[in-house]
């Protein structure tokens, strides 16, 4: 996700990925990842359409949009300032194997946080004030003007 929210744009991007009209570029963990020409738009060669994660992020963005409206924020001026994804406690299940053995069957869960802020109106720059002097410089100017004896 880019830093700019553009809620409709991000949601539309995820919908296009689900329809296989856009691609998610893969720049890391490329072993076994196929090449695709859609990735050229991102100056990359490898990419996929990860439907499970895209549907989750798509629903989170829609939820974020509706939460912003419920709070009374102007969604056109809202910007995602930060996205934090942290590791959560692993889900533990068991799978039954041959010869009466049991193995762990874990899931890697995560916490996702979006920080959404409303963009403020631009503030005009204040007029430039004269050069600020230190106490020493001001004292030297007073001496030069007054013509004090040394």
């Amino acid at each position: 996700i880019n830093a700019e929210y553009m809620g409709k744009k991000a949601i539309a991007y995820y919908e296009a990925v689900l329809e296989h009209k856009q691609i998610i570029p893969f720049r890391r963990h490329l072993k076994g990842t196929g090449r695709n020409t859609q990735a050229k738009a991102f100056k990359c060669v490898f990419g996929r359409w990860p439907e499970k994660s895209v549907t989750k992020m798509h629903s989170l963005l829609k939820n974020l949009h509706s939460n912003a409206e419920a709070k009374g924020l102007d969604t056109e001026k809202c910007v995602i300032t930060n996205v934090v994804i942290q590791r959560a406690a692993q889900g533990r299940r068991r799978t039954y194997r041959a010869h009466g053995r049991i193995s762990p069957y874990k899931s890697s869960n995560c916490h996702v946080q979006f920080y959404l802020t409303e963009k403020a109106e631009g503030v005009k720059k204040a007029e430039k004030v004269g050069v600020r002097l230190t106490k020493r410089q001001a004292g030297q100017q007073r001496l030069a003007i007054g013509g004090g004896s040394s």
Side-chain angles (χ1 to χ4, degrees), residues 79-145:
V79 174
I80 293 178
T81 52
N82 197 11
V83 179
V84 179
I85 301 176
Q86 294 177 332
R87 191 181 288 175
Q90 278 190 331
R92 292 181 191 89
R93 293 187 289 170
R94 48 174 58 172
T95 183
Y96 299 94
R97 311 291 298 271
H99 309 295
R101 293 176 299 142
I102 297 175
S103 295
Y105 202 71
K106 296 180 180 178
S107 61
S108 304
N109 302 322
C110 67
H111 298 296
V112 180
Q113 282 183 328
F114 290 103
Y115 289 89
L116 185 74
T117 53
E118 198 170 16
K119 230 181 199 177
E121 293 292 326
V123 179
K124 291 184 180 178
K125 200 170 187 178
E127 291 184 24
K128 208 170 192 181
V129 183
V131 180
R132 298 184 78 189
L133 301 175
T134 62
K135 286 183 180 180
R136 182 176 178 174
Q137 289 171 337
Q140 286 175 347
Q141 273 191 350
R142 278 196 305 270
L143 278 177
I145 294 170

Side-chain angles (χ1 to χ4, degrees), residues 21-23 25 27 36-45:
K21 292 181 180 176
Q22 284 272 12
I23 199 166
R27 292 186 171 91
N36 199 292
T37 54
Q38 283 184 1
K40 283 184 182 178
F42 301 98
K43 295 183 181 177
C44 187
V45 181

Side-chain angles (χ1 to χ4, degrees), residues 8 63-75 78 116:
K8 295 172 185 168
N63 189 16
L64 178 71
H65 188 75
S66 62
N67 286 349
E69 286 178 351
K71 292 264 186 184
L73 297 174
D74 184 13
T75 54
C78 286
L116 185 74

